[in-house]
Coordinates of all heavy atoms in Angstrom, one line a residue:
M1 N -1.9 -3.7 15.3 CA -1.1 -4.6 14.5 C 0.0 -5.2 15.3 O 0.6 -4.5 16.1 CB -0.6 -3.9 13.3 CG -1.6 -3.7 12.2 SD -1.0 -3.2 10.5 CE 0.5 -2.4 10.8
A2 N 0.3 -6.4 15.1 CA 1.5 -7.0 15.8 C 2.8 -6.6 15.1 O 2.8 -6.1 14.0 CB 1.3 -8.5 15.8
W3 N 3.9 -6.8 15.9 CA 5.2 -6.3 15.3 C 5.5 -7.0 14.0 O 6.2 -6.3 13.2 CB 6.3 -6.5 16.4 CG 6.4 -8.0 16.7 CD1 5.8 -8.7 17.7 CD2 7.4 -8.9 16.1 NE1 6.2 -10.0 17.7 CE2 7.2 -10.1 16.8 CE3 8.2 -8.8 15.1 CZ2 7.9 -11.3 16.4 CZ3 9.0 -9.9 14.7 CH2 8.8 -11.1 15.4
Y4 N 5.2 -8.2 13.8 CA 5.5 -8.9 12.6 C 4.7 -8.4 11.4 O 5.1 -8.5 10.2 CB 5.4 -10.4 12.7 CG 4.2 -10.9 13.4 CD1 3.0 -11.0 12.8 CD2 4.3 -11.3 14.8 CE1 1.9 -11.5 13.4 CE2 3.2 -11.8 15.4 CZ 2.0 -11.9 14.7 OH 0.9 -12.3 15.4
H5 N 3.6 -7.8 11.7 CA 2.8 -7.2 10.5 C 3.5 -5.9 10.1 O 3.5 -5.6 8.9 CB 1.4 -6.9 11.0 CG 0.6 -8.1 11.0 ND1 0.1 -8.6 12.2 CD2 0.1 -8.9 10.1 CE1 -0.6 -9.7 12.0 NE2 -0.5 -9.9 10.7
W6 N 4.2 -5.2 11.0 CA 5.0 -4.0 10.6 C 6.1 -4.4 9.7 O 6.5 -3.8 8.7 CB 5.4 -3.2 11.8 CG 4.4 -2.5 12.5 CD1 3.8 -2.8 13.7 CD2 3.7 -1.3 12.0 NE1 2.8 -1.9 13.9 CE2 2.7 -1.0 12.9 CE3 3.9 -0.5 10.8 CZ2 1.9 0.1 12.7 CZ3 3.0 0.6 10.7 CH2 2.0 0.9 11.6
I7 N 6.8 -5.5 10.1 CA 7.9 -6.1 9.3 C 7.4 -6.5 7.9 O 8.1 -6.2 6.9 CB 8.6 -7.2 10.0 CG1 9.3 -6.7 11.3 CG2 9.6 -7.9 9.1 CD1 9.8 -7.8 12.2
A8 N 6.3 -7.1 7.9 CA 5.7 -7.5 6.6 C 5.4 -6.3 5.7 O 5.7 -6.3 4.5 CB 4.4 -8.3 6.8
V9 N 4.9 -5.2 6.3 CA 4.6 -4.0 5.5 C 5.9 -3.4 5.0 O 6.0 -3.0 3.8 CB 3.8 -3.0 6.4 CG1 3.8 -1.6 5.7 CG2 2.4 -3.5 6.6
Y10 N 6.9 -3.3 5.8 CA 8.2 -2.8 5.4 C 8.8 -3.6 4.3 O 9.5 -3.1 3.4 CB 9.1 -2.5 6.6 CG 8.7 -1.3 7.4 CD1 8.5 -1.5 8.8 CD2 8.5 -0.1 6.8 CE1 8.1 -0.4 9.5 CE2 8.1 1.0 7.6 CZ 7.9 0.8 8.9 OH 7.5 1.9 9.7
M11 N 8.7 -4.9 4.4 CA 9.3 -5.8 3.4 C 8.6 -5.5 2.0 O 9.3 -5.5 1.0 CB 9.1 -7.2 3.8 CG 10.0 -7.6 4.9 SD 9.6 -9.3 5.5 CE 10.3 -10.3 4.2
I12 N 7.3 -5.4 2.0 CA 6.6 -5.1 0.8 C 7.0 -3.7 0.2 O 7.2 -3.6 -1.0 CB 5.1 -5.1 1.0 CG1 4.7 -6.6 1.4 CG2 4.3 -4.7 -0.2 CD1 3.2 -6.7 1.9
I13 N 7.1 -2.7 1.1 CA 7.5 -1.4 0.7 C 8.9 -1.4 0.1 O 9.2 -0.8 -0.9 CB 7.3 -0.4 1.8 CG1 5.8 -0.2 2.1 CG2 8.0 0.9 1.5 CD1 5.6 0.6 3.4
I14 N 9.9 -2.0 0.8 CA 11.2 -2.1 0.3 C 11.3 -2.8 -1.0 O 12.1 -2.3 -1.9 CB 12.2 -2.7 1.4 CG1 12.3 -1.8 2.6 CG2 13.5 -3.1 0.8 CD1 12.9 -2.4 3.8
G15 N 10.6 -3.9 -1.2 CA 10.6 -4.6 -2.5 C 10.1 -3.7 -3.6 O 10.6 -3.7 -4.7
G16 N 9.0 -3.0 -3.3 CA 8.4 -2.0 -4.3 C 9.3 -0.9 -4.6 O 9.4 -0.5 -5.8
V17 N 10.1 -0.4 -3.6 CA 11.0 0.7 -3.9 C 12.1 0.2 -4.7 O 12.6 0.9 -5.7 CB 11.5 1.3 -2.6 CG1 12.6 2.3 -2.8 CG2 10.3 2.1 -1.9
I18 N 12.7 -0.9 -4.4 CA 13.8 -1.5 -5.2 C 13.4 -1.7 -6.6 O 14.1 -1.4 -7.6 CB 14.4 -2.7 -4.5 CG1 15.1 -2.4 -3.2 CG2 15.3 -3.4 -5.5 CD1 15.5 -3.7 -2.4
F19 N 12.1 -2.3 -6.8 CA 11.6 -2.5 -8.1 C 11.5 -1.3 -8.9 O 11.7 -1.2 -10.1 CB 10.3 -3.2 -8.0 CG 9.6 -3.5 -9.3 CD1 10.0 -4.5 -10.1 CD2 8.5 -2.6 -9.7 CE1 9.4 -4.7 -11.4 CE2 7.9 -2.8 -10.9 CZ 8.3 -3.9 -11.7
T20 N 11.1 -0.2 -8.2 CA 10.8 1.1 -8.9 C 12.1 1.9 -9.3 O 12.2 2.4 -10.3 CB 9.9 2.0 -8.1 OG1 8.7 1.3 -7.8 CG2 9.5 3.3 -8.8
I21 N 13.0 1.9 -8.4 CA 14.2 2.7 -8.5 C 15.3 2.2 -9.4 O 15.8 2.9 -10.3 CB 14.8 3.0 -7.1 CG1 13.9 3.9 -6.3 CG2 16.2 3.7 -7.2 CD1 14.4 4.2 -4.9
I22 N 15.5 0.9 -9.4 CA 16.6 0.3 -10.2 C 16.1 0.0 -11.5 O 15.3 -0.9 -11.7 CB 17.3 -0.8 -9.4 CG1 17.8 -0.4 -8.1 CG2 18.4 -1.5 -10.3 CD1 18.3 -1.5 -7.2
P23 N 16.6 0.6 -12.6 CA 16.1 0.4 -13.9 C 16.5 -1.0 -14.6 O 15.6 -1.7 -15.0 CB 16.6 1.5 -14.8 CG 17.8 2.0 -14.1 CD 17.6 1.7 -12.6
D24 N 17.8 -1.3 -14.5 CA 18.2 -2.6 -15.1 C 18.6 -3.5 -14.0 O 19.6 -3.4 -13.4 CB 19.4 -2.3 -16.0 CG 19.1 -1.5 -17.2 OD1 18.0 -1.6 -17.7 OD2 19.9 -0.7 -17.7
K25 N 17.7 -4.5 -13.8 CA 17.9 -5.4 -12.6 C 18.5 -6.7 -13.1 O 18.1 -7.3 -14.0 CB 16.6 -5.7 -12.0 CG 15.9 -4.5 -11.3 CD 14.5 -4.8 -10.9 CE 13.4 -4.1 -11.5 NZ 13.6 -2.9 -12.3
P26 N 19.6 -7.1 -12.4 CA 20.2 -8.5 -12.7 C 19.2 -9.5 -12.2 O 18.2 -9.3 -11.4 CB 21.5 -8.5 -11.9 CG 21.4 -7.5 -10.9 CD 20.4 -6.4 -11.4
F27 N 19.4 -10.8 -12.6 CA 18.5 -11.8 -12.3 C 18.4 -12.1 -10.8 O 17.3 -12.3 -10.3 CB 18.9 -13.1 -13.0 CG 18.0 -14.3 -12.9 CD1 16.7 -14.2 -13.6 CD2 18.2 -15.4 -12.1 CE1 15.8 -15.2 -13.4 CE2 17.4 -16.4 -12.0 CZ 16.1 -16.3 -12.7
W28 N 19.5 -12.0 -10.0 CA 19.4 -12.2 -8.6 C 18.6 -11.1 -7.9 O 18.0 -11.4 -6.9 CB 20.8 -12.3 -8.0 CG 21.6 -11.0 -8.1 CD1 22.4 -10.7 -9.1 CD2 21.6 -10.0 -7.2 NE1 23.0 -9.4 -8.9 CE2 22.5 -9.0 -7.7 CE3 21.0 -9.7 -6.0 CZ2 22.7 -7.8 -7.0 CZ3 21.2 -8.5 -5.3 CH2 22.1 -7.6 -5.8
L29 N 18.6 -9.9 -8.4 CA 17.8 -8.9 -7.8 C 16.3 -9.1 -8.0 O 15.5 -8.8 -7.1 CB 18.2 -7.5 -8.3 CG 17.7 -6.3 -7.6 CD1 18.1 -6.4 -6.2 CD2 18.2 -5.0 -8.3
W30 N 15.9 -9.7 -9.1 CA 14.5 -10.1 -9.3 C 14.1 -11.1 -8.2 O 13.0 -11.0 -7.7 CB 14.3 -10.7 -10.7 CG 14.2 -9.7 -11.7 CD1 15.1 -9.4 -12.7 CD2 13.1 -8.8 -12.0 NE1 14.7 -8.4 -13.5 CE2 13.4 -8.0 -13.1 CE3 11.9 -8.6 -11.4 CZ2 12.6 -7.0 -13.6 CZ3 11.0 -7.6 -11.9 CH2 11.4 -6.9 -13.0
G31 N 15.0 -12.0 -7.9 CA 14.8 -12.9 -6.8 C 14.6 -12.3 -5.5 O 13.7 -12.7 -4.7
V32 N 15.5 -11.3 -5.2 CA 15.4 -10.6 -3.9 C 14.1 -9.8 -3.8 O 13.4 -9.8 -2.8 CB 16.6 -9.7 -3.7 CG1 16.4 -8.7 -2.5 CG2 17.9 -10.4 -3.6
I33 N 13.7 -9.1 -4.9 CA 12.4 -8.4 -4.9 C 11.2 -9.3 -4.7 O 10.3 -9.1 -3.9 CB 12.3 -7.6 -6.2 CG1 13.3 -6.5 -6.3 CG2 10.9 -7.0 -6.4 CD1 13.5 -5.9 -7.7
A34 N 11.2 -10.5 -5.4 CA 10.1 -11.4 -5.3 C 10.1 -12.0 -3.9 O 9.0 -12.2 -3.3 CB 10.3 -12.5 -6.3
L35 N 11.3 -12.3 -3.3 CA 11.3 -12.8 -2.0 C 10.8 -11.8 -1.0 O 10.0 -12.2 -0.1 CB 12.8 -13.2 -1.6 CG 13.0 -13.8 -0.2 CD1 12.4 -15.2 -0.2 CD2 14.5 -13.9 0.1
L36 N 11.1 -10.6 -1.1 CA 10.7 -9.6 -0.2 C 9.1 -9.4 -0.2 O 8.4 -9.4 0.8 CB 11.3 -8.2 -0.4 CG 12.7 -8.0 0.1 CD1 13.3 -6.7 -0.5 CD2 12.8 -8.0 1.6
I37 N 8.6 -9.3 -1.4 CA 7.2 -9.0 -1.6 C 6.4 -10.3 -1.2 O 5.4 -10.2 -0.5 CB 6.9 -8.6 -3.0 CG1 7.5 -7.2 -3.3 CG2 5.5 -8.5 -3.3 CD1 7.4 -6.7 -4.7
I38 N 6.8 -11.4 -1.7 CA 6.0 -12.6 -1.4 C 6.0 -13.0 0.1 O 5.0 -13.3 0.7 CB 6.5 -13.8 -2.3 CG1 6.2 -13.5 -3.8 CG2 5.9 -15.1 -1.8 CD1 6.8 -14.5 -4.7
S39 N 7.2 -12.9 0.7 CA 7.3 -13.2 2.1 C 6.5 -12.2 3.0 O 5.9 -12.5 4.0 CB 8.8 -13.3 2.6 OG 9.4 -12.2 2.4
G40 N 6.6 -10.9 2.5 CA 5.8 -9.9 3.2 C 4.3 -10.2 3.1 O 3.6 -10.0 4.1
L41 N 3.9 -10.5 1.9 CA 2.4 -10.9 1.8 C 2.0 -12.1 2.6 O 1.0 -12.1 3.3 CB 2.1 -11.1 0.3 CG 2.1 -9.9 -0.5 CD1 1.9 -10.3 -2.0 CD2 1.0 -8.9 -0.1
I42 N 2.9 -13.1 2.6 CA 2.6 -14.3 3.4 C 2.6 -14.0 4.9 O 1.7 -14.5 5.6 CB 3.6 -15.4 3.1 CG1 3.3 -16.0 1.6 CG2 3.5 -16.6 4.1 CD1 4.4 -16.9 1.2
M43 N 3.5 -13.2 5.4 CA 3.6 -12.8 6.8 C 2.3 -12.0 7.2 O 1.8 -12.2 8.2 CB 4.8 -12.0 7.1 CG 6.1 -12.8 7.3 SD 7.5 -11.8 7.6 CE 7.0 -11.1 9.2
G44 N 1.9 -11.1 6.3 CA 0.8 -10.3 6.6 C -0.5 -11.0 6.6 O -1.5 -10.7 7.4
V45 N -0.6 -12.1 5.8 CA -1.9 -12.8 5.7 C -2.0 -14.0 6.6 O -3.0 -14.2 7.3 CB -2.1 -13.2 4.2 CG1 -3.4 -14.1 4.1 CG2 -2.3 -12.0 3.3
L46 N -0.9 -14.8 6.7 CA -1.0 -16.0 7.4 C -0.7 -16.0 8.9 O -1.2 -16.8 9.6 CB -0.1 -17.0 6.7 CG -0.4 -17.4 5.3 CD1 0.6 -18.5 4.8 CD2 -1.8 -18.0 5.2
L47 N 0.1 -15.0 9.3 CA 0.4 -15.0 10.7 C -0.9 -14.4 11.5 O -1.6 -13.6 11.0 CB 1.6 -14.1 11.0 CG 2.9 -14.6 10.6 CD1 4.0 -13.6 10.8 CD2 3.2 -15.9 11.3
P48 N -1.1 -14.9 12.7 CA -2.3 -14.5 13.4 C -2.3 -13.0 13.7 O -1.3 -12.4 14.0 CB -2.2 -15.3 14.7 CG -0.7 -15.7 14.9 CD -0.2 -15.7 13.5
H49 N -3.6 -12.5 13.8 CA -3.8 -11.1 14.1 C -4.2 -11.0 15.5 O -5.1 -11.7 16.0 CB -4.9 -10.6 13.2 CG -4.5 -10.6 11.7 ND1 -4.5 -9.5 10.9 CD2 -4.1 -11.6 10.9 CE1 -4.2 -9.7 9.7 NE2 -3.9 -11.0 9.6
K50 N -3.6 -10.1 16.2 CA -3.9 -9.8 17.6 C -4.6 -8.4 17.7 O -4.4 -7.5 16.9 CB -2.7 -9.7 18.5 CG -1.8 -10.9 18.5 CD -0.8 -10.9 19.6 CE 0.2 -9.8 19.3 NZ 1.4 -9.9 20.2
E51 N -5.5 -8.3 18.6 CA -6.2 -7.1 18.8 C -5.2 -6.2 19.6 O -4.6 -6.5 20.5 CB -7.4 -7.3 19.7 CG -8.3 -6.0 19.9 CD -8.9 -5.5 18.7 OE1 -9.2 -6.2 17.8 OE2 -9.0 -4.2 18.6
D52 N -5.1 -4.9 19.1 CA -4.2 -4.0 19.7 C -4.9 -3.4 21.0 O -5.9 -2.7 20.9 CB -3.9 -2.8 18.7 CG -2.8 -1.9 19.2 OD1 -2.2 -2.2 20.3 OD2 -2.4 -1.0 18.5
K53 N -4.3 -3.7 22.1 CA -5.0 -3.3 23.4 C -5.0 -1.8 23.6 O -5.9 -1.2 24.2 CB -4.4 -4.0 24.6 CG -2.9 -3.7 24.8 CD -2.4 -4.5 26.0 CE -0.9 -4.2 26.1 NZ -0.3 -4.9 27.2
Y54 N -4.0 -1.1 23.0 CA -3.9 0.4 23.2 C -4.9 1.1 22.2 O -5.5 2.1 22.6 CB -2.5 0.8 22.9 CG -1.5 0.3 23.9 CD1 -0.6 -0.7 23.4 CD2 -1.6 0.6 25.2 CE1 0.3 -1.2 24.3 CE2 -0.7 0.0 26.1 CZ 0.2 -0.9 25.6 OH 1.1 -1.5 26.5
A55 N -5.1 0.5 21.0 CA -6.1 1.1 20.1 C -7.5 1.0 20.6 O -8.3 1.8 20.4 CB -5.9 0.6 18.7
S56 N -7.8 -0.2 21.2 CA -9.2 -0.4 21.6 C -9.5 0.4 22.8 O -10.6 0.8 23.1 CB -9.4 -1.9 21.8 OG -8.5 -2.4 22.8
S57 N -8.5 0.7 23.7 CA -8.8 1.4 24.9 C -8.9 2.9 24.6 O -9.5 3.6 25.4 CB -7.7 1.2 26.0 OG -6.5 1.7 25.5
N58 N -8.4 3.4 23.5 CA -8.5 4.8 23.2 C -9.8 5.2 22.4 O -10.1 6.3 22.3 CB -7.3 5.2 22.3 CG -6.0 5.2 23.1 OD1 -6.0 5.3 24.3 ND2 -4.9 5.1 22.3
Q59 N -10.5 4.2 21.9 CA -11.7 4.5 21.2 C -12.8 4.8 22.2 O -13.0 4.1 23.3 CB -12.1 3.3 20.4 CG -11.2 3.0 19.2 CD -11.5 1.8 18.5 OE1 -12.5 1.0 18.9 NE2 -10.9 1.6 17.4
R60 N -13.6 5.8 21.9 CA -14.7 6.2 22.8 C -16.0 5.6 22.3 O -16.2 5.5 21.1 CB -14.9 7.8 22.8 CG -13.7 8.5 23.3 CD -14.0 10.0 23.3 NE -12.8 10.7 23.7 CZ -12.4 11.8 23.1 NH1 -13.2 12.3 22.2 NH2 -11.4 12.4 23.5
T61 N -16.8 5.2 23.2 CA -18.1 4.6 22.9 C -19.1 5.7 23.3 O -19.2 6.1 24.5 CB -18.4 3.3 23.6 OG1 -18.2 3.5 25.1 CG2 -17.4 2.2 23.2
E62 N -19.8 6.2 22.3 CA -20.8 7.3 22.6 C -22.2 6.8 22.4 O -22.5 5.9 21.7 CB -20.5 8.4 21.7 CG -19.2 9.1 21.9 CD -19.0 10.2 21.0 OE1 -19.9 10.9 20.6 OE2 -17.8 10.5 20.7

């Protein structure tokens, strides 16, 4: 995975954790949660995927 896919995953996780932990959310916090999750999904899906050169070199062909 490319570095920006890791950022996308963490954005989704942070948005989910904030959504889960805080019981009474003000309106602006709903916007932050939506921004984190939606931008994380867009980054994960739309940005190009690169082949990880280290993962492919570690796999054995038998």
Side-chain angles (χ1 to χ4, degrees):
M1 285 191 332
W3 62 271
Y4 43 80
H5 286 111
W6 287 107
I7 293 174
V9 168
Y10 286 125
M11 289 172 72
I12 295 169
I13 291 172
I14 290 170
V17 167
I18 292 172
F19 176 77
T20 305
I21 290 178
I22 300 175
D24 295 327
K25 294 173 246 340
F27 188 69
W28 64 268
L29 192 56
W30 281 106
V32 170
I33 293 169
L35 181 69
L36 283 170
I37 293 175
I38 292 170
S39 60
L41 288 173
I42 289 173
M43 282 179 64
V45 172
L46 295 181
L47 290 176
H49 296 238
K50 298 190 295 188
E51 183 66 31
D52 190 1
K53 60 182 177 181
Y54 300 110
S56 61
S57 66
N58 290 337
Q59 294 176 351
R60 295 185 190 138
T61 56
E62 296 181 29

